[in-house]
Amino acid sequence: MEGKAKILLIVSIPQDVFIASGATVKPSLLFFKKFTEKEAELYSKFLHQAQKTTTSKYKDEIKGLEERLKLRGKEALTKEEKKACRAKLKALMEKIDSEVKSIVKEKFDYEIPIAEVQKAGISSTGAEIENELVPLAKEFTPYRVENKLWGVPIKSVKYRIDDDGNTFRYRMTDNILSEPEAFYNIKK
């Protein structure tokens, strides 16, 4: 997800919420939003810059290892030497990848709100209890609005049935009608 979407919010919820279904780990809810075109371009720009810079930094070392692996005849490496050389090359590529990720994370930095909820509306037995998610949603709303997250562009949704009885959904956003979406292919 790292190169395709932003994390908008992380909410840690009580472990007992899913205990009835056999879950034994403490769950968290992660909310993502797909990059806008501008964000995708910026992320890609930072990624390519980081790859170029980091790869050029290790260029000579990579070239040396690759040349050693290409040796043939009397100069060829033994099986053990090739294995060691490949391992060094693999470790170097992993180091480069790690450095690239670190640079991109530093340059493509943004705030990620984190919240911990003690009561999520149901107990481990399924009974309704106090729900801290509702006040959290209210508290998160000003942040969401200020940062233009999760806008509600869809003004209306209409459903139509064609002559063959297939159901289609149409969404209206800013006076623009979407392409028809097959809606479960339910026939009347």
Side-chain angles (χ1 to χ4, degrees):
M1 297 299 298
E2 210 171 27
K4 298 185 184 300
K6 280 184 164 183
I7 300 172
L8 300 181
L9 174 65
I10 300 172
V11 181
S12 177
I13 59 177
Q15 183 173 350
D16 62 350
V17 170
F18 297 113
I19 208 159
S21 60
T24 58
V25 295
K26 183 164 175 39
S28 291
L29 303 173
L30 278 74
F31 297 88
F32 293 94
K33 181 181 179 190
K34 186 178 175 182
F35 284 161
T36 62
E37 282 186 35
K38 188 176 181 179
E39 290 167 338
E41 287 174 15
L42 189 59
Y43 184 90
S44 182
K45 176 185 167 189
F46 290 148
L47 179 64
H48 291 301
Q49 286 174 347
Q51 287 171 332
K52 185 178 178 181
T53 303
T54 309
T55 304
S56 68
K57 180 173 151 183
Y58 295 102
K59 175 178 68 173
D60 294 337
E61 197 172 342
I62 293 169
K63 186 177 178 183
L65 289 168
E66 288 175 340
E67 286 177 358
R68 287 190 70 206
L69 286 168
K70 288 181 185 176
L71 295 174
R72 300 289 179 247
K74 292 179 184 178
E75 297 175 338
L77 300 175
T78 66
K79 195 174 189 178
E80 293 80 26
E81 290 172 328
K82 281 185 179 181
K83 187 176 179 180
C85 194
R86 283 190 189 107
K88 281 183 184 179
L89 186 58
K90 183 179 177 184
L92 183 59
M93 297 311 270
E94 287 171 356
K95 182 178 181 180
I96 289 170
D97 197 39
S98 177
E99 285 186 27
V100 166
K101 284 181 181 180
S102 178
I103 292 168
V104 172
K105 282 183 181 183
E106 184 181 313
K107 290 187 178 216
F108 195 76
D109 190 29
Y110 59 93
E111 184 178 2
I112 302 173
I114 300 174
E116 183 164 1
V117 171
Q118 299 299 323
K119 298 175 184 170
I122 58 168
S123 69
S124 58
T125 61
E128 280 193 38
I129 60 171
E130 184 182 346
N131 189 349
E132 294 176 356
L133 290 170
V134 174
L136 176 64
K138 288 178 184 172
E139 183 181 333
F140 182 70
T141 298
Y143 174 84
R144 177 187 60 79
V145 171
E146 180 182 326
N147 291 283
K148 298 179 180 131
L149 307 175
W150 295 329
V152 187
I154 297 171
K155 303 294 183 208
S156 67
V157 178
K158 295 185 181 193
Y159 299 90
R160 293 200 180 113
I161 299 171
D162 68 10
D163 295 336
D164 296 326
N166 296 307
T167 305
F168 293 92
R169 173 173 48 205
Y170 297 84
R171 298 173 193 243
M172 180 66 78
T173 307
D174 297 327
N175 293 325
I176 299 171
L177 188 63
S178 72
E179 291 292 319
E181 302 171 40
F183 190 69
Y184 300 117
N185 285 337
I186 299 172
K187 294 189 177 189
K188 189 175 180 183

